[in-house]
Amino acid sequence: MPRPSSRISGIVPSGKDGWEVHTAAWARREAGEDIIMLSVGDHDFDTPSQTIEACVAAVRGSNHHYTPLQGLPRLRNAMAVASSACTGVETTPDQVIATPGGQAALYAAVQAVLDQGDHAVVVAPYYATYPNTFSAAGATFTVVETPAEGGFQPRADMIRAALRPNTRAILINTPNNPTGAVYSKEHLEELAKLCREHDLWLLSDEVYWTLGGGEHISPRSLPGMAERTLVINSMSKSHGMTGWRMGWLTGPAEMISLLINLNLVTTYGLPAFISIACAEALENRYGVREIAERYAARRTIFIEAVRSMNDVVIRGSEGGMYVMLDVSAIEPDDEKFAWAFLDNEKVGVMPGSSFGEAAAGHIRISLCQPEPVLQEAALRLRRFVSAYRREAA
């Protein structure tokens, strides 16, 4: 075949992608092994029935045609209301654009603020797609780690040291995937000051905002930040709708107007029946409180189950759908630890280093399993740690 473009060839470099343990655990479970899957952040329960019925009604109501590029008016209005609640800034429909999932909102944000050869800073630990999203834009990036011993809070001095003359943007994620860290107002204010001083865009991934362990603070609400912040959001986690692929981006109206042109040449709008169901789910907050309460209970139960485990330290883990455990005192190689845990106790977890060097020596535990399963996994972890320590000795 003719040569593909360097742009598409360079999005995902060849080699390991960090998901090898998860892929193996999944394959072994599909082959019939009794594997506990704690490696993926997908709900173990269905989308709320009210949302499903709203979609069925929309399909039967002949909502099968093209929609506006920026999203149905009703959907954008509902997203604006949700953004007002999420960011603490009154948001109008012309400040949001609907996208097919949070990843598409992230892609749109990166395309909007970076030209070929521009530079960005990615705060780690980070969601796995972040680096390759910048690669797709032809941009370079520097990863800035957050200290585990500081609860994975971002450090403005470390970010400042990574800035270059062509730096245009900083990307953060709070509540954080994979660590569950909820960024404090103090650290966000320092970051906002840095953005104002250097005229930078701040890309803020806030898809876990309803699942925080405390008050969610969006950097968009800080002085001088509404005009330079793009907030990525999604219905996947908050409303139990991972497979529906619906998200949105919030930002200055002038930028959102430009992004409508990006939808023109990518999605050409979104399905009407899904848009209507999502609007109803946003308007009525279907499942939001129940999902948040479910994960809060699971987080508490699992953390209590591992809290007294020798040489296992809980880091971050205030919010989101994950618990991050420091296992470096037992085995510094987190990937080796994860493989051995899978082989010996049939539990699949994610090695922390899959999300950046800041999380090296950690494992990420997904809370997307019922409480009895999480308790069983904690028992297996305790047994595994004790046996591993004896073998090492």
Side-chain angles (χ1 to χ4, degrees), residues 2-175:
R3 179 181 61 84
S5 72
S6 58
R7 179 182 299 107
I8 198 73
S9 302
I11 291 177
V12 180
S14 60
K16 296 171 60 176
D17 63 3
W19 291 87
E20 288 79 13
V21 178
H22 165 73
T23 302
W26 185 272
R28 287 169 57 171
R29 191 179 73 165
E30 290 296 295
E33 288 191 55
D34 182 22
I35 303 291
I36 295 178
M37 296 292 296
L38 302 182
S39 51
V40 67
D42 195 357
H43 306 297
D44 57 305
F45 48 85
D46 290 338
T47 298
S49 59
Q50 305 100 311
T51 305
I52 295 172
E53 292 306 316
C55 186
V56 170
V59 170
R60 289 175 174 162
S62 299
N63 294 286
H64 317 140
H65 302 280
Y66 289 130
T67 60
L69 294 176
Q70 62 269 44
L72 287 175
R74 178 186 175 188
L75 177 63
R76 291 183 86 196
N77 185 70
M79 287 175 168
V81 172
S83 282
S84 298
C86 172
T87 69
V89 178
E90 192 64 31
T91 307
T92 55
D94 63 346
Q95 294 174 315
V96 301
I97 187 168
T99 62
Q103 176 58 39
L106 173 63
Y107 178 83
V110 170
Q111 292 288 327
V113 304
L114 292 164
D115 285 318
Q116 184 96 9
D118 281 344
H119 176 258
V121 171
V122 179
V123 177
Y126 49 72
Y127 178 56
T129 67
Y130 286 1
N132 294 330
T133 305
F134 287 104
S135 298
T140 61
F141 59 89
T142 299
V143 174
V144 175
E145 312 292 349
T146 55
E149 59 273 15
F152 297 109
Q153 292 289 324
R155 289 268 302 274
D157 59 330
M158 297 171 67
I159 295 172
R160 185 185 299 275
L163 298 181
R164 301 178 184 175
N166 63 334
T167 302
R168 296 285 309 283
I170 299 170
L171 172 58
I172 65 171
N173 171 210
T174 179

Side-chain angles (χ1 to χ4, degrees), residues 251-315:
E254 297 84 354
M255 175 63 86
I256 297 301
S257 179
L258 291 172
L259 281 168
I260 295 173
N261 298 328
L262 183 63
N263 277 3
L264 172 68
V265 296
T266 53
T267 65
Y268 204 78
L270 297 169
F273 51 91
I274 293 179
S275 298
I276 291 170
C278 287
E280 184 166 327
L282 283 166
E283 291 162 355
N284 295 281
R285 296 179 58 82
Y286 291 151
V288 174
R289 179 177 58 82
E290 294 83 357
I291 291 170
E293 290 175 350
R294 182 175 301 186
Y295 281 109
R298 290 178 177 183
R299 189 182 308 113
T300 298
I301 285 173
F302 188 81
I303 286 176
E304 286 303 313
V306 301
R307 190 180 299 280
S308 61
M309 204 175 295
N310 290 338
D311 296 327
V312 174
V313 181
I314 302 162
R315 304 285 192 189

